[in-house]
Amino acid sequence: MSGVLDAGREREGAMKAVQYRTIGGSPEVVEIEVPEPGPGEVRLKVTAAGACHSDSFVMSLTEEQYTYGLPLTLGHEGAGIVDKLGDGVTGVAIGDSVAVYGPQGCGRCYQCAQGKENYCERAAELGIAPPGLGAPGAMAEYMIVRSDRHLLPLGDLDPVQNVALTDAGLTPYHAIKMSLPKLVPGTTAVVIGAGGLGHVAIQILRAITPSTVIALDLSEEKLALAREVGAHHAFASDADAAERIREATGGRPVTAVFDFVAIQPTIDLGRSVAGVESDHVIVGVGVGMLPVGMLGAPYDSTVRAPYWGSRAELFEVFDLARAGLVKVETEVFPIDEAPEAYRRLHDGTLRGRAIIVP
């Protein structure tokens, strides 16, 4: 395919990038032009980019479902060094180590004014898309960020070890934070899926709540990881899981379920252990059905489907990392091995998060 790198040196003015180029195909390492920042934009020399199940979901869409445009440079978790400034940029300086806030909005609507650009009211209307999920992403040697508002200082945080916090940390943090009023002493939180996001959710729950944390997964290796990062109990998410949860809680219902898989069996499992006033939080990108109404769900229980998190919450996640309370389990791949990282992500053989380093 035109643009795919040979084994030799790159041509001057070009860079390596990991792109999704063909519907139903696999990611490819290609050679593209180094981008130039326009007015208000910032160019980063990328130090790290995360690979995510959301990428695999996007690449699984059919031609009728796919809306992101091709070719698409992947990577919605990104960090880098400020390399070049467009006209009018004053909020960052060349040489700054920064992380990219991914769910970018218009900056002017009510939600954006609160830092909740993940819920921007006008992003779709204005054609604003997150890096790697519509706009060119971080899985390249350089990337353009449309505003310095979307860059958060990393300071002394290692970009490779912490880049995944921009999604794998921020998304569970936002999901959990909304349930904090209910997660008081004596309560139980269940995390379904102890992989890239789930193992971070366990740490966040232990850091900011007094709840007992129960982790569920089909992989024994991920259950072992769940125990390592602080889960009080870790069970296989099989036909006996609900009964094991009831035994662990002494028969009391679960206060909050955080489902990072979100397929019908896990949704059904979450519903089976939820109780009155419980939160059932669907975080994964799967789709399922839940009964509602007086005979369909416990009284005053809620079902939420949060998306990413706010800019302010990302500052808070970084502070948890600086305090040593949250750490992402990472496996690092050079950019040329990005397709292999995605293959292992798809096969479920990664222990934590795959990080691509240019």
Side-chain angles (χ1 to χ4, degrees):
M1 178 177 292
S2 175
V4 178
L5 283 166
D6 297 320
R9 293 171 57 87
E10 296 174 66
R11 58 189 172 84
E12 187 176 354
M15 67 174 185
K16 292 181 180 180
V18 181
Q19 290 190 334
Y20 181 53
R21 299 175 69 87
T22 306
I23 299 296
S26 299
E28 300 177 47
V29 181
V30 301
E31 184 181 86
I32 61 175
E33 297 293 332
V34 174
E36 291 294 323
E41 296 180 338
V42 178
R43 187 172 75 187
L44 301 184
K45 183 175 177 60
V46 175
T47 49
C52 178
H53 275 290
S54 296
D55 303 335
S56 294
F57 172 76
V58 166
M59 290 186 284
S60 73
L61 297 174
T62 66
E63 191 167 353
E64 292 73 25
Q65 296 168 323
Y66 187 84
T67 60
Y68 295 91
L70 291 175
L72 173 65
T73 300
L74 298 168
H76 58 270
E77 296 174 339
I81 302 296
V82 175
D83 172 74
K84 192 171 184 178
L85 305 177
D87 291 343
V89 174
T90 59
V92 293
I94 291 174
D96 287 351
S97 178
V98 294
V100 181
Y101 174 72
Q104 300 170 11
C106 70
R108 301 181 65 85
C109 69
Y110 179 74
Q111 297 290 353
C112 285
Q114 302 175 78
K116 299 177 182 177
E117 298 199 35
N118 51 318
Y119 296 139
C120 176
E121 299 165 0
R122 302 192 63 207
E125 169 196 343
L126 297 173
I128 299 171
L133 294 171
M139 213 165 284
E141 293 179 275
Y142 294 88
M143 74 174 296
I144 297 295
V145 179
R146 55 187 296 272
S147 170
D148 59 14
R149 185 177 76 251
H150 301 130
L151 297 174
L152 276 66
L154 277 173
D156 58 355
L157 289 177
D158 180 347
V160 175
Q161 295 301 315
N162 293 282
V163 64
L165 291 175
T166 59
D167 180 8
L170 178 57
T171 296
Y173 183 77
H174 174 64
I176 292 165
K177 190 174 179 181
M178 299 298 289
S179 293
L180 281 182
K182 297 182 180 181
L183 295 174
V184 297
T187 60
T188 302
V190 169
V191 173
I192 302 178
L197 274 70
H199 87 283
V200 181
I202 293 164
Q203 297 172 70
I204 293 169
L205 285 163
R206 291 301 312 271
I208 66 175
T209 83
S211 297
T212 296
V213 180
I214 299 176
L216 304 175
D217 205 289
L218 289 173
S219 164
E220 190 54 50
E221 185 177 17
K222 290 177 182 175
L223 290 174
L225 175 61
R227 297 182 188 101
E228 287 177 25
V229 298
H232 296 93
H233 306 281
F235 307 135
S237 52
D238 55 22
D240 298 324
E243 184 57 34
R244 291 179 183 174
I245 291 171
R246 293 187 188 98
E247 289 173 1
T249 64
R252 297 178 63 185
V254 168
T255 307
V257 176
F258 301 96
D259 187 345
F260 293 93
V261 181
I263 58 177
Q264 195 62 55
T266 61
I267 291 172
D268 291 342
L269 173 58
R271 172 58 58 180
S272 72
V273 297
V276 170
E277 293 187 321
S278 64
D279 281 0
H280 194 163
V281 188
I282 309 298
V283 189
V285 295
V287 176
M289 302 286 288
L290 273 171
V292 297
M294 184 172 292
L295 301 179
Y299 290 121
D300 223 355
S301 61
T302 65
V303 178
R304 291 191 287 110
Y307 172 66
W308 228 325
S310 71
R311 290 170 56 223
E313 288 169 336
L314 185 52
F315 276 101
E316 294 166 11
V317 170
F318 285 162
D319 284 339
L320 287 174
R322 290 189 182 94
L325 297 172
V326 172
K327 178 184 177 182
V328 182
E329 184 80 9
T330 61
E331 188 166 347
V332 179
F333 297 80
I335 194 169
D336 289 329
E337 296 179 16
E340 171 64 10
Y342 276 110
R343 184 193 67 77
R344 290 188 52 197
L345 177 67
H346 179 269
D347 293 346
T349 60
L350 291 169
R351 193 164 186 259
R353 203 72 164 173
I355 306 301
I356 309 303
V357 177

